[in-house]
Amino acid sequence: MSGTPQLCVVQTIPREGPGLVQPLALERGWQLHVTRLWTDQPLPTPQQGQAFLLLGGPASANDRHGRIPELVRLCQHLLEQQIPALGICLGLQVLAKAKGCVVRAARQRELGWLDPQGRQWTLHQTPAGRNHPLLRGVPDPLPVFQLHGEEVAPERSVETMATSPLCHNQIAALGPAAYGVQGHMELDRDMAERWFAEDDDLVPIARQARFNGTGLATLMPIGRMFYGNWLALAAEQLAAA
């Protein structure tokens, strides 16, 4: 690859943006191209030198209406061509759907900083995760902010790198250049405030907003490390293409 790498961000709703990933990418010399699916913007046609970041949202990867089927087709192309891609929450589920995996209702919705017993949501790395550059330097167990009611079912073709008792595929590899994370390590302060004010799933637990300062103080450095690892991996994959 020659020239400046481009990060193609696919955003499904206004409040779920790239968060911490945007300044990290810009610091590392990436150009950003954002596609906003709630507008009539077409999805990008993948080009040489591009990586894709697929963001979250309240839609389901199983939706047969709107722009989700179009997004699934894009992800099929990304997987087939081994184009660097990372999906967050819905983004993970759409990548998994494109791979032929089952996306189903979770046994229990995971929402906010804390589980119903008041304990912080945490992930545990698998042996594959501990040995993978995507999780280099990331703590184990790993605290995370959650906002999902569906999950990717266990599948032999998916390499699970971090898991939890309620959701098997919390961080996963879906191919040589495709990864996904169910939780939200991209969260920054503006996004956290907006989510608790606007998201119908978070409004009932708005009392958790008081954890924003403490939670983000822990989460944001981890998010920078995790997404820094991914950007480095994606750059290596583009250079080798």
Side-chain angles (χ1 to χ4, degrees):
M1 182 197 72
S2 60
T4 302
Q6 185 177 79
L7 182 60
C8 296
V9 179
V10 180
Q11 185 173 346
T12 67
I13 59 172
R15 67 174 173 266
E16 296 213 25
L20 296 175
V21 186
Q22 180 166 327
L24 272 176
L26 294 174
E27 288 166 12
R28 292 164 181 248
W30 292 74
Q31 290 181 345
L32 264 67
H33 177 275
V34 181
T35 301
R36 298 168 176 85
L37 286 193
W38 64 94
T39 73
D40 59 0
Q41 277 184 283
L43 283 167
T45 300
Q47 306 289 332
Q48 185 177 11
Q50 291 179 334
F52 280 73
L53 178 67
L54 312 165
L55 300 178
S60 170
N62 297 316
D63 286 348
R64 298 182 179 180
H65 54 80
R67 303 195 68 181
I68 293 299
E70 182 184 354
L71 187 55
V72 171
R73 290 192 293 272
L74 170 64
C75 289
Q76 288 171 337
H77 181 80
L78 299 178
L79 291 168
E80 289 166 1
Q81 299 301 313
Q82 298 185 12
I83 295 168
L86 188 142
I88 299 172
C89 198
L90 173 62
L92 161 63
Q93 295 165 9
V94 171
L95 277 168
K97 184 76 174 180
K99 188 177 176 67
C101 301
V102 172
V103 177
R104 66 190 183 187
R107 284 179 290 163
Q108 179 179 319
R109 305 181 87 189
E110 295 182 307
L111 301 173
W113 306 108
L114 307 172
D115 69 17
Q117 287 72 48
R119 298 170 300 202
Q120 192 165 36
W121 297 113
T122 54
L123 315 182
H124 297 272
Q125 296 179 33
T126 66
R130 293 186 199 105
N131 295 313
H132 200 285
L134 184 65
L135 294 177
R136 184 180 294 121
V138 173
D140 184 19
L142 167 61
V144 70
F145 186 97
Q146 298 280 20
L147 184 57
H148 71 104
E150 294 189 319
E151 66 172 356
V152 177
E155 162 64 51
R156 293 179 66 181
S157 67
V158 174
E159 184 176 50
T160 302
M161 293 193 288
T163 188
S164 71
L166 292 175
C167 178
H168 183 77
N169 282 306
Q170 290 278 5
I171 301 176
L174 297 104
Y179 306 97
V181 55
Q182 188 59 70
H184 291 277
M185 289 186 283
E186 83 284 11
L187 201 63
D188 62 21
R189 296 188 186 281
D190 289 342
M191 287 172 64
E193 291 178 7
R194 186 173 182 183
W195 286 14
F196 274 107
E198 296 182 12
D199 192 286
D200 290 341
D201 291 319
L202 294 177
V203 168
I205 58 168
R207 65 187 183 281
Q208 284 196 21
R210 69 179 182 272
F211 290 95
N212 280 0
T214 303
L216 285 167
T218 300
L219 189 63
M220 288 174 65
I222 297 171
R224 291 189 188 99
M225 184 175 297
F226 177 83
Y227 286 107
N229 288 347
W230 177 66
L231 288 167
L233 269 177
E236 291 173 7
Q237 290 161 341
L238 290 177

